[in-house]
Amino acid sequence: MSKPLGTRIREIREERDLSLREFAKKLGDISPAHVSDVELGRRFPSDDLLTKMARLLSVPFEELKKLDLRPPMEELKKLVESNPVYGVALRKLADHEISPEDLIKLMKKSDRENKK
């Protein structure tokens, strides 16, 4: 299993022997606290910030972007707006505290049953 985005950023930063403060300073208008929040998974960087981070760390943007596992919120909002039943389904998922892993297992089971 791959590591979370923030963990990987911290690992690469440390491999490059960059302190948190030095990295933040090189990023421009970003505070060390902001970078720390990204590394700890409390915040997610914008694509612009992630591009700067990738460039400074000498890694491809795509390598870091694939670790950003946030749900595509804009796509979800549009889906719910076009069909409110999706909103009800998402609420039920949240209310029942179904884990992402359980949801994926359910979907795979459904796929197998539909192929029969």
Side-chain angles (χ1 to χ4, degrees):
M1 188 172 172
S2 62
K3 296 176 181 175
L5 174 62
T7 300
R8 187 67 187 125
I9 290 170
R10 185 186 70 245
E11 286 177 351
I12 299 169
R13 177 181 58 76
E14 289 175 349
E15 287 170 9
R16 305 290 188 267
D17 200 29
L18 285 168
S19 72
L20 188 66
R21 289 183 187 280
E22 184 180 9
F23 187 48
K25 185 176 181 181
K26 288 183 179 202
L27 287 169
D29 291 335
I30 304 300
S31 70
H34 186 117
V35 174
S36 178
D37 282 348
V38 168
E39 291 183 352
L40 293 171
R42 290 185 278 211
R43 296 178 83 161
F44 287 90
S46 66
D47 281 353
D48 288 343
L49 178 55
L50 192 59
T51 298
K52 288 179 185 178
M53 290 177 157
R55 189 179 68 250
L56 282 171
L57 297 172
S58 302
V59 296
F61 168 81
E62 295 77 20
E63 180 181 322
L64 296 179
K65 185 66 177 173
K66 71 181 180 187
L67 299 174
D68 185 350
L69 302 178
R70 287 178 289 176
M73 294 310 293
E74 288 307 312
E75 291 173 38
L76 288 173
K77 286 178 187 175
K78 287 177 186 174
L79 190 61
V80 169
E81 287 171 3
S82 69
N83 186 342
V85 176
Y86 281 109
V88 173
L90 290 171
R91 173 55 52 205
K92 286 188 179 274
L93 281 173
D95 289 346
H96 285 82
E97 298 180 4
I98 296 173
S99 73
E101 295 80 12
D102 288 341
L103 184 58
I104 290 170
K105 286 178 193 174
L106 243 146
M107 291 168 59
K108 286 179 180 178
K109 181 180 176 186
S110 175
D111 286 346
R112 284 192 304 271
E113 289 172 358
N114 287 335
K115 288 179 182 177
K116 291 181 182 178

